C-alpha cells in the first residue's frame, strides 16, 4: 500500500521557519515528480511547489524566494523548507506524487499536516 506521510507542521510565529518532510512508503518515487499543495480554511487547494525526478523545482508566486523544495531519493523523502513565514501561509500542507518524472496530475496524496503562523 502506497503511503505519503507528512511531518514537521506546527505553530510558529511570523518570520519563523519550519521544515516539512514527506516520507513515502509502499514503493519508490525516484522516477516521479513530487509536490506540495496547501489548503487554507475556506480557500481552494493551492499548488505550493513541485520538483521533478531530476531535481528541477517550481514554486507558486506567493512562496517564491521563501520556500525551498528538495528531495532525498535514498530516503524516498521530499522536504519543504519554509522561511520568513507569514500568517497567510497558515494552511494544511499536503505532500503529493505525480505519475511521471515531470509534474502533471496528482496520483497520490498524503494526509496533510497543519501549519499555523501567528502574527
Amino acid at each position: 500500500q502506497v503511503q505519503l506521510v507528512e511531518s514537521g507542521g506546527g505553530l510558529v510565529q511570523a518570520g519563523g521557519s519550519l521544515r516539512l518532510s514527506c516520507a513515502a512508503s509502499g514503493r519508490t518515487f525516484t522516477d516521479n515528480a513530487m509536490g506540495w499543495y496547501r489548503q487554507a480554511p475556506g480557500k481552494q487547494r493551492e499548488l505550493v511547489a513541485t520538483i521533478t525526478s531530476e531535481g528541477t523545482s517550481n514554486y507558486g508566486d506567493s512562496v517564491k524566494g521563501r520556500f525551498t523544495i528538495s528531495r532525498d531519493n535514498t530516503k524516498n523523502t521530499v522536504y519543504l523548507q519554509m522561511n520568513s513565514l507569514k500568517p497567510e501561509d497558515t494552511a494544511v500542507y499536503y505532500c503529493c506524487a505525480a505519475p511521471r518524472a515531470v509534474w502533471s496530475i496528482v496520483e497520490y496524496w498524503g494526509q496533510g499536516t497543519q501549519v499555523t503562523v501567528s502574527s
Side-chain angles (χ1 to χ4, degrees), residues 41-55:
K43 295 188 177 181
Q44 287 192 331
R45 198 166 286 192
E46 173 190 13
L47 182 59
V48 175
T50 63
I51 186 167
T52 68
S53 62
E54 298 296 321

Side-chain angles (χ1 to χ4, degrees), residues 56-90:
T56 300
S57 57
N58 279 288
Y59 300 91
D61 288 341
S62 61
V63 305
K64 280 181 182 176
R66 301 188 297 122
F67 290 11
T68 303
I69 188 171
S70 61
R71 63 191 298 162
D72 185 340
N73 288 336
T74 66
K75 297 181 179 179
N76 219 21
T77 300
V78 178
Y79 305 96
L80 185 68
Q81 178 66 43
M82 306 185 295
N83 298 328
S84 302
L85 283 162
K86 305 175 181 179
E88 51 263 44
D89 294 318
T90 295

Side-chain angles (χ1 to χ4, degrees), residues 2 16-17 20 22 26 33 35-36 40 52 59 61 70 84 86-87 92 103 108-109 111-112:
V2 174
S17 298
L20 305 183
C22 171
W36 290 91
T52 68
Y59 300 91
D61 288 341
S70 61
S84 302
K86 305 175 181 179
V92 178
W103 188 256
Y108 297 103
W109 289 95
Q111 84 288 350

